[in-house]
Amino acid sequence: MISPNTIQQILGKLDIIDVVGSFVKLKRRGSNYLGLCPFHNEKTPSFTVSPTKELYKCFGCGRSGNTISFVMEHEKYSYVDALKWLANRYGIEIEETFQNDEQRQQMLVADSLYIINGFARDFFSRMLFETEDGRDIGLSYFKERGFREEIIRKFQLGYSPEQRDAFTKEAIAKQYNPETLIKAGLVANRNEQLMDNYRGRVIFPIHNHSGKVLGFGARILKTNEKAPKYINTPENEIYVKSKLLYGSYFARTAIDKNDECLLVEGYTDVVSLHQAGIENVVASGGTSLTPDQLRLIRKYTNNLTIIYDGDNAGIKAALRGLDLALEEGLNVKLVLIPDKEDPDSYVNKVGASAFREFIDKNKKDFILFQLEVALKDAGTDSVKKSEVVNKVAETISRINKAEDFTKQQDYIKQCAEILKIDEAGMHSLVNKFIRDRIATQERKLPFEEARQLEENARQAEAGNYDETTFNLLFKDELQEREVARILLEYGLKKWDNEKKVAEYIFEEMVDESLIDNAEVIQMIAVYKEILQTSPETASKNFFIYHPDSKLSAFAVSLLNFPYEESDQWKKEYSQSSGFQKSLFEQPYEDFIKTLAKDNEDSLMKFLKIDEDRTNEEVESAVNYLKLRKIKRMLLENQLDLEKEHTPEEYAILHQTHEHLKRMEMELTKKMGTVILR
């Protein structure tokens, strides 16, 4: 964990224009800045950055956030990694805290591995470009594959010499720990002798999402039947193969922008496609896809296109992990490269433009392709055909997200037609697999949680409200959010000589049990707590940069800027809005000075449109929410009156109705005529 002191130092130095401007070309537009959105393709700028609010908002794709969330979103960093990136940018030394000694030790080992891997990457790169063997053997190999020097340097490719201990000697001379060198997989211990593990191989560094080297893939160059073609880093504290995708660091922004991830098998496939300008591509390293790898892809996009060789091995490799991908909610397509080619050789053969065209034209639906392959294997064997039906039904049942229901129904219809079976029967079989899975999951639920789910379902079925009633009972979202926004915007301002706006809101606020929005409830609770402990910190930025990402995102959504008043608009509007009384209450000399022709800016400050109406705005928001809640309680009370009760119960309900009506009339009179819809 990064210490609170370090976080405060980072927040104190943040400049959203400086940070966002390093990724996006921004132009000043009034008090804000405008640029092309880095999160989607656009020709007309709709990406707006507000330095005063310290927020960004794209009015094209809807992305919004603060400085830290921009770094997280753009670079695909975690919260901690984003803070580390910002600390490095502003020259702030990071102070970290640990819960226990074991955690501290793990962090120290991880840091040591990162440092050693960084040293090794630089060593292998130097050997490739600056030694005769490196240029003659390693660089020649890469150039035979068609790699240009700029792409070799971009991916930090390298070469490990044939010499038995060239790397080991240099690492030991630099006083790197031998045990850590072995743990990193760079050095092997043979008969109590340390030697290089990757000698005579070209090196592919494997990066994490922030660009640090986690490990290496090393490819042999000589023909040797006994030696494996590739050696990879053994698993350790930072290198976990099932959680990695080669090239994700270089592909992350392109995947985000294209809203599609291309998945290939090998390192060279990734490098060749990048060189051809196709950058939204990663490699699985030739292994079956794992849930962690699929979640990493889903972090960037929901659309996955798998590009594998067209031979049997390639087809089988592509089909592995399909069910897992569907469970993760990914839209999966498959492209098979023809003529015994792989993506690396095929893009070099046909060129980037033809390769893109081939991918777009030859995407196959994954489920239907799986069915096609399975039917071909089954032939005329009826037993195998029935197994195919079961397998496809089980696969379709894994499309279990509510928003994918239509997609699931389409698959059932298409597969039933291909299999020449009754569609209703296919429906039943898919539903059986769904029921079996739900039953298995429910057995794992704690008793109380399962009972609550059952109660929620019962109430939902029993709640036979018409649309108007439902909206009044449950849709106070806008009013609740407006009070939360007012709290963020004006909470620390003075209401009067005795209290702040936040204190007035909490005194006048409706009971929290009547508030539906959980995020509003959380914000109020956090605000009340810091108002008691350290009221000076209860600023907008406290919530905008709150470590709870949900609370931070909610604050950002409340403070987004839908429009900006231009000076011209203010001047035009001032003709009808007039000027504040304070203009005429000035001393005569100051009044005349303000009206002078060359002093227009001073006069603009007295426009009525800029008059501080904080108290009116606060009172209106709180009273309007109260009125909504009173209307809601009146309706609930009315619904209760329609049921059977004892005379005493009826009397209480009538008294409640009269009391609520009086409150409604008082509020309506105070606010003027209000019609709620």
Side-chain angles (χ1 to χ4, degrees):
M1 292 170 62
I2 296 176
S3 71
N5 180 50
T6 302
I7 293 173
Q8 286 307 312
Q9 285 186 60
I10 294 168
L11 295 181
K13 292 260 189 164
L14 285 184
D15 178 347
I16 193 166
I17 300 301
D18 171 51
V19 173
V20 175
S22 63
F23 298 99
V24 181
K25 188 176 181 181
L26 297 172
K27 286 185 178 179
R28 193 177 185 92
R29 184 71 58 86
S31 62
N32 294 331
Y33 288 77
L34 196 65
L36 291 171
C37 179
F39 303 119
H40 79 289
N41 292 314
E42 63 176 8
K43 292 180 180 178
T44 305
S46 60
F47 183 79
T48 307
V49 184
S50 168
T52 53
K53 291 180 180 282
E54 293 189 41
L55 300 175
Y56 67 88
K57 167 80 175 179
C58 176
F59 293 96
C61 67
R63 301 275 185 98
S64 63
N66 57 46
T67 314
I68 295 173
S69 67
F70 177 86
V71 175
M72 291 171 67
E73 188 75 27
H74 192 275
E75 297 299 288
K76 301 304 175 189
Y77 287 173
S78 67
Y79 178 71
V80 172
D81 285 334
L83 286 176
K84 287 180 177 178
W85 186 91
L86 289 163
N88 182 60
R89 183 179 183 85
Y90 291 111
I92 296 168
E93 189 174 341
I94 293 175
E95 181 182 77
E96 293 184 279
T97 59
F98 302 92
Q99 292 178 348
N100 52 52
D101 288 339
E102 183 183 352
Q103 193 182 56
R104 179 186 292 275
Q105 188 58 37
Q106 285 176 348
M107 181 61 78
L108 289 172
V109 171
D111 284 345
S112 297
L113 288 167
Y114 281 127
I115 291 166
I116 282 175
N117 285 343
F119 166 75
R121 173 202 59 207
D122 294 343
F123 173 85
F124 296 137
S125 180
R126 197 172 73 249
M127 292 298 105
L128 179 69
F129 287 106
E130 298 178 16
T131 67
E132 190 177 342
D133 279 355
R135 288 191 295 269
D136 291 346
I137 302 171
L139 205 53
S140 293
Y141 168 78
F142 287 134
K143 289 189 174 177
E144 281 172 16
R145 301 298 300 246
F147 297 168
R148 296 189 295 271
E149 186 170 325
E150 63 266 25
I151 204 75
I152 295 171
R153 291 191 183 277
K154 176 182 176 178
F155 280 84
Q156 301 171 351
L157 307 184
Y159 173 71
S160 182
E162 283 278 1
Q163 188 181 330
R164 189 169 173 272
D165 56 1
F167 171 78
T168 303
K169 277 184 178 177
E170 189 158 330
I172 297 296
K174 297 284 186 183
Q175 299 186 330
Y176 285 105
N177 186 308
E179 289 182 10
T180 312
L181 289 168
I182 293 169
K183 182 187 277 282
L186 295 159
V187 171
N189 188 338
R190 301 275 191 271
N191 301 318
E192 302 303 317
Q193 292 289 317
L194 297 179
M195 63 178 66
D196 294 358
N197 200 27
Y198 302 145
R199 58 190 185 279
R201 293 173 180 262
V202 286
I203 307 296
F204 295 84
I206 299 165
H207 304 80
N208 70 1
H209 56 271
S210 61
K212 289 183 178 179
V213 178
L214 299 167
F216 302 91
R219 189 194 192 283
I220 198 167
L221 297 179
K222 292 184 176 179
T223 305
N224 188 335
E225 291 181 3
K226 292 182 180 179
K229 185 177 179 180
Y230 277 96
I231 298 177
N232 291 300
T233 297
E235 297 223 340
N236 54 43
E237 280 78 357
I238 64 173
Y239 185 88
V240 182
K241 194 171 184 181
S242 64
K243 296 183 178 182
L244 301 173
L245 287 168
Y246 178 73
S248 60
Y249 171 66
F250 302 101
R252 65 201 192 287
T253 53
I255 294 171
D256 195 15
K257 205 162 222 177
N258 288 278
D259 195 21
E260 181 184 32
C261 176
L262 305 180
L263 179 73
V264 295
E265 275 192 284
Y267 303 139
T268 55
D269 296 328
V270 170
V271 178
S272 286
L273 290 175
H274 265 264
Q275 183 169 264
I278 302 166
E279 296 187 344
N280 57 323
V281 57
V282 297
S284 60
T287 61
S288 299
L289 281 170
T290 67
D292 286 319
Q293 288 173 328
L294 291 164
R295 287 182 197 119
L296 182 59
I297 292 168
R298 196 163 179 266
K299 182 179 173 183
Y300 307 135
T301 180
N302 285 328
N303 300 309
L304 173 64
T305 299
I306 300 176
I307 306 173
Y308 277 177
D309 306 352
D311 58 16
N312 285 334
I315 291 169
K316 286 179 181 177
L319 292 176
R320 289 197 298 265
L322 166 64
D323 289 352
L324 291 172
L326 294 174
E327 285 180 358
E328 288 299 323
L330 291 167
N331 303 314
V332 189
K333 301 290 183 185
L334 173 68
V335 176
L336 295 177
I337 303 294
D339 305 325
K340 297 182 179 179
E341 303 272 3
D342 56 29
D344 170 24
S345 62
Y346 196 62
V347 75
N348 284 317
K349 178 180 178 180
V350 301
S353 179
F355 186 88
R356 280 197 191 92
E357 190 177 330
F358 176 81
I359 297 299
D360 291 338
K361 284 184 177 178
N362 290 275
K363 287 180 185 176
K364 296 186 178 183
D365 183 274
F366 219 145
I367 290 179
L368 299 181
F369 179 76
Q370 182 193 39
L371 177 56
E372 180 188 319
V373 171
L375 281 175
K376 194 178 289 184
D377 288 345
T380 57
D381 190 320
S382 57
V383 175
K384 285 185 178 180
K385 277 188 176 178
S386 69
E387 288 174 0
V388 170
V389 173
N390 273 284
K391 174 60 182 167
V392 169
E394 185 181 6
T395 296
I396 295 172
S397 75
R398 292 180 184 274
I399 305 172
N400 56 11
K401 300 267 190 303
E403 61 270 24
D404 292 335
F405 175 77
T406 304
K407 186 200 296 185
Q408 187 186 68
Q409 301 309 299
D410 285 344
Y411 276 128
I412 290 172
K413 184 176 181 179
Q414 290 180 70
C415 291
E417 287 175 1
I418 293 168
L419 290 163
K420 295 182 174 57
I421 61 173
D422 180 46
E423 187 179 328
M426 192 66 168
H427 262 289
S428 299
L429 191 55
V430 169
N431 288 337
K432 174 188 174 297
F433 281 111
I434 293 172
R435 285 195 303 273
D436 289 348
R437 190 173 299 110
I438 290 172
T440 303
Q441 289 169 351
E442 283 181 347
R443 283 196 290 274
K444 297 176 184 177
L445 278 177
F447 175 73
E448 286 300 320
E449 189 177 341
R451 191 171 69 177
Q452 186 60 51
L453 287 172
E454 187 179 336
E455 176 63 17
N456 290 348
R458 187 191 65 75
Q459 288 183 4
E461 192 174 344
N464 188 25
Y465 298 115
D466 61 65
E467 187 178 355
T468 306
T469 306
F470 179 83
N471 285 342
L472 191 53
L473 281 176
F474 303 113
K475 291 197 173 179
D476 292 340
E477 173 82 7
L478 292 176
Q479 284 68 45
E480 292 174 358
R481 285 174 63 91
E482 177 61 8
V483 171
R485 184 191 70 80
I486 293 282
L487 187 61
L488 283 185
E489 289 274 18
Y490 309 121
L492 292 182
K493 289 186 76 172
K494 281 189 174 182
W495 173 260
D496 53 31
N497 291 330
E498 296 178 1
K499 66 185 78 157
K500 294 182 175 70
V501 167
E503 292 168 316
Y504 169 79
I505 290 174
F506 293 144
E507 285 175 8
E508 295 293 320
M509 191 72 167
V510 298
D511 191 287
E512 283 179 27
S513 64
L514 292 173
I515 297 176
D516 300 319
N517 190 315
E519 292 168 320
V520 173
I521 294 170
Q522 182 191 8
M523 178 166 285
I524 289 171
V526 172
Y527 207 113
K528 282 182 176 178
E529 185 182 339
I530 59 170
L531 211 56
Q532 294 293 323
T533 55
S534 52
E536 70 284 351
T537 64
S539 64
K540 289 186 288 188
N541 281 0
F542 175 86
F543 290 92
I544 289 171
Y545 292 108
H546 199 279
D548 183 332
S549 59
K550 287 185 179 177
L551 186 56
S552 170
F554 181 60
V556 167
S557 72
L558 293 175
L559 296 170
N560 271 333
F561 33 97
Y563 56 83
E564 180 192 354
E565 298 163 354
S566 69
D567 290 340
Q568 183 63 33
W569 186 85
K570 285 183 181 181
K571 286 177 188 175
E572 294 294 328
Y573 188 76
S574 70
Q575 302 304 312
S576 57
S577 70
F579 295 93
Q580 302 171 27
K581 285 182 182 178
S582 55
L583 170 66
F584 308 100
E585 292 169 353
Q586 296 181 99
Y588 179 75
E589 294 79 7
D590 293 340
F591 175 70
I592 294 299
K593 189 177 177 182
T594 305
L595 294 181
K597 282 186 179 180
D598 58 351
N599 207 13
E600 192 175 346
D601 288 345
S602 295
L603 182 62
M604 290 281 284
K605 293 175 184 175
F606 288 95
L607 287 177
K608 211 167 205 176
I609 192 172
D610 284 333
E611 193 170 8
D612 186 0
R613 294 192 181 89
T614 300
N615 285 23
E616 292 174 34
E617 199 174 339
V618 171
E619 206 168 14
S620 173
V622 172
N623 286 338
Y624 195 71
L625 180 61
K626 282 183 182 178
L627 199 55
R628 289 281 309 188
K629 298 303 180 182
I630 288 168
K631 287 277 189 186
R632 171 171 163 174
M633 287 188 287
L634 274 167
L635 181 56
E636 288 173 332
N637 196 66
Q638 183 64 42
L639 291 170
D640 209 6
L641 274 167
E642 293 171 7
K643 299 173 185 175
E644 288 189 12
H645 294 285
T646 64
E648 292 81 8
E649 288 171 337
Y650 271 120
I652 293 169
L653 288 169
H654 279 293
Q655 287 171 10
T656 302
H657 180 80
E658 288 171 8
H659 175 67
L660 289 171
K661 285 301 286 183
R662 279 196 300 272
M663 289 175 66
E664 181 188 30
M665 290 171 67
E666 286 170 12
L667 266 177
T668 304
K669 187 178 179 181
K670 187 176 181 181
M671 298 169 66
T673 304
V674 176
I675 299 172
L676 288 177
R677 297 184 181 225

